[in-house]
Amino acid sequence: MTVAASSLLLFLLAAPDQAAAEFRSAYERGLAALAGQRFKEAEAAFEEARHLQPGHALVYFNLAQIHAHRRQFEPAIVGFRQAIAIDPRQPQFYFGLAVLQTQLQRFHDAQQAVKQLLRVRPKYPEAYLLLGRIAQEQGDNAEAERSLRRYLRLRPGAVEGLWRLGVTLSAQEKYEEAASLLRTALKQDPQLGEAHYNLGILHSRRGEEQLARRHLEEGARLMPDNAQAHYQLGTVLARAEKLAEAEASFRRALELQPDYAEAHFALATLLRRTGRNEEAARSMAQYERLSAAALADRERTRRLSSFHLEIKSLLESDRGLEAEPKLHELLALDPENDLAYYRLGQVAFLRQDWEGTLKDVSEALARKPFEPAYHLLAGMTQERLGRDEEAAAAYERVVALADYADAYLALGRIELRLGKTEQAVLHLRRAVKLEPQNPEARQRLREALAATSTGSRARKGSGPGP
């Protein structure tokens, strides 16, 4: 072997080790920067690692966490889903996605991510804690109780589970068990402000004023920036005729939350009792202004909800022409309402106004770029215009954000037209897996498999001769 050949062989043998070392170095730099909350530095290091090893799931997971921290929701969702696609056995990937969907109040999507997690790891405790939190957010105390009890069976004595279940039981007026759970949480962590606060509220509801005061004082001390804790403490102090202390609590609540209507009312009442009528009148005027604004906001919310329900009903009845003026009324009330623009796009689509559809759906996406249904409508419209590349790009964004059978089917359909039969098979298999009874998906998959088989035979037949 010549010297040159030997050098080449040594280089080729060393190259994988060198690449692996470079990857480890970049990845570890990313972890260190992320731990130190140096997010720009962490992102650069993880991007370097991704370039070196494009198929490493943890790189995508960490990049997703950085995007989520920056409130870059679309790339965060995509990153979590890419991590899952590369390594679907890792529960933390599903959990990260579920937490993000919960923050976005996309509770159905969050629950679906948790269900996928539990298929991978049925006894993953934090999954049940998160399901409990989601149920609490939705006001479903019965479901919250079930999930939190399951969490505590897996993590007996876990403090967050104890106080959250205590709050849920208290909301259901199961006061004895609620109080016991909150006291148990405080035995484990006497500095837990949430437990003190909620135990104080529970005792206040039961008329146990001394206990309520003790726990609310601790809650306000441990959570000094919590306006509600100071307000609730103030109400207990006022009932105990500790007016100077109550006034200080109400004023602190208003420092923290100047639009706290109930605190303005409580302060005004206290000031009137102590003869400070002029200041009391100012506080009461603030209360009345804020109450009127809250009432107007509730009425606006009610009208928006009514509009959405009526418009949904009209669209489901193929009465798009009647829905359109309602949508414009809705946008006059709420110009940033992404769903209204999407609905306008649906109306334009039904009357085959393709450019109008694209205009409206672009407005919707400008406001909520992580909504897969909006990208789906954009893709359907581009497909109707014969713009297969643009349509495919929109459908790719859909499946990057969510598992929509219609999007996988559309991608397969386009890829068949473009002669990309192997990609078509992959996407159509996914469509059939999601919707096994979809006749178009099954038929297109048969076509793609037949085209793939024909292409394979043709390639064999055109091989090199003897």
Side-chain angles (χ1 to χ4, degrees), residues 288-305:
E288 290 170 354
R289 180 184 64 79
L290 290 166
S291 294
L295 182 63
D297 192 54
R298 284 195 296 274
E299 174 60 18
R300 176 174 171 274
T301 300
R302 186 197 65 77
R303 288 182 66 195
L304 288 171
S305 178

Side-chain angles (χ1 to χ4, degrees), residues 152-164:
L152 286 167
R153 283 199 293 273
L154 294 168
R155 284 273 171 88
V159 169
E160 185 174 358
L162 291 169
W163 77 257
R164 283 191 178 277

Side-chain angles (χ1 to χ4, degrees), residues 189-236:
D189 183 359
Q191 303 300 305
L192 188 61
E194 292 91 345
H196 279 294
Y197 171 75
N198 284 289
L199 195 51
I201 296 295
L202 187 155
H203 286 305
S204 180
R205 286 174 182 164
R206 299 174 73 178
E208 298 163 349
E209 296 293 315
Q210 288 299 320
L211 287 170
R213 176 179 172 181
R214 191 180 83 199
H215 285 291
L216 287 168
E217 283 177 339
E218 280 298 286
R221 181 182 69 81
L222 293 165
M223 301 187 296
D225 296 331
N226 187 310
Q228 281 188 312
H230 292 285
Y231 167 73
Q232 294 291 349
L233 174 59
T235 61
V236 170

Side-chain angles (χ1 to χ4, degrees), residues 10 73 90 153 156-157 213 280 336 353-354 364 372 428 438-439 443 463:
L10 289 170
F73 299 126
Q90 299 302 321
R153 283 199 293 273
R213 176 179 172 181
E336 294 304 308
D353 175 7
W354 311 130
L428 291 165
N438 186 316
Q443 175 59 33

Side-chain angles (χ1 to χ4, degrees), residues 64-74 76-77 80 94-111 113-114 130-131 133-135 137-138 164 368 370:
Q65 292 189 97
I66 293 168
H67 290 306
H69 173 80
R70 291 174 172 166
R71 302 180 65 80
Q72 297 167 334
F73 299 126
E74 184 182 4
I77 293 170
F80 284 125
Y94 300 97
F95 189 73
L97 177 60
V99 168
L100 177 58
Q101 299 284 24
T102 302
Q103 290 169 350
L104 295 172
Q105 297 194 316
R106 297 172 63 86
F107 297 125
H108 175 74
D109 291 337
Q111 289 164 333
V114 173
L130 183 58
L131 286 173
R133 284 175 49 198
I134 292 169
E137 288 269 357
Q138 295 178 302
R164 283 191 178 277
K368 192 180 283 186
F370 53 85

